[in-house]
Amino acid sequence: MPRLNLTDPRFKLAAYLAIASLIMLASGCSTSKDELLPHGDTTMMDVWDQGAGGSSNSTSSRQLLDARQDLRRPLQPHQAGALDDNARFTRTAQNEIYSQFKRLPNPDLVMYVFPHLSGSDPAPIPGYTTVFPLYQRVQYAMPGERTEAY
């Protein structure tokens, strides 16, 4: 049976790591609930005002409200046109029932197969007509793309 060597550097490192982890574990439980969440007569509005720069009647709070009001300015007339351009692509209850992506026409092609011989033991195949679509899959137009014939 191997003997435990207390002077081995690996043993010392493992011991230091164990002690450090126990200290960290014990320090995590050292705070109290009252210290972490103090009780008092302050409301959430008081906490909010304090975080926003003081009480609601101070000059810094007034400056903050003025800056927020500047951000809430109405749209300029030239910006309203850009919204109208995008309104065609916006989903609403009215246009939701209509498809924005129209199906592109997929015409049927008619092919006539002439009479022929087929197979390893040539068997006569009579001529016939078959119909198949031009495109393998259904194709869709982009919104606003023209779908009617030119």
Side-chain angles (χ1 to χ4, degrees), residues 1-19:
M1 173 184 268
R3 207 168 151 209
L4 185 63
N5 186 1
L6 298 178
T7 60
D8 187 12
R10 290 179 291 178
F11 179 76
K12 288 182 180 180
L13 179 65
Y16 287 137
L17 287 175
I19 291 171

Side-chain angles (χ1 to χ4, degrees), residues 1 9 13 15 23 32 38 45 57 68 78 87 93 112 118-119 138 140 143:
M1 173 184 268
L13 179 65
I23 290 172
S32 68
M45 192 63 182
N57 56 8
R68 287 180 182 165
H78 67 278
Y112 176 73
S118 178
V138 175
Y140 293 95

Side-chain angles (χ1 to χ4, degrees), residues 2 4-5 8 15 83-84 91 106 110 117 129 132 134 138 140 149:
L4 185 63
N5 186 1
D8 187 12
L83 289 178
D84 292 339
R91 297 171 78 174
N106 191 4
V110 180
L117 298 173
T129 303
F132 57 93
L134 178 63
V138 175
Y140 293 95

Side-chain angles (χ1 to χ4, degrees), residues 81-137:
L83 289 178
D84 292 339
D85 292 341
N86 293 332
R88 293 182 297 150
F89 306 109
T90 304
R91 297 171 78 174
T92 62
Q94 182 179 5
N95 71 3
E96 187 65 24
I97 58 174
Y98 303 111
S99 175
Q100 289 184 3
F101 298 94
K102 306 289 184 198
R103 281 187 167 194
L104 290 174
N106 191 4
D108 287 334
L109 298 178
V110 180
M111 183 176 83
Y112 176 73
V113 180
F114 289 96
H116 58 281
L117 298 173
S118 178
S120 60
D121 193 19
I125 306 293
Y128 60 94
T129 303
T130 184
V131 178
F132 57 93
L134 178 63
Y135 303 111
Q136 183 178 1
R137 287 183 259 159

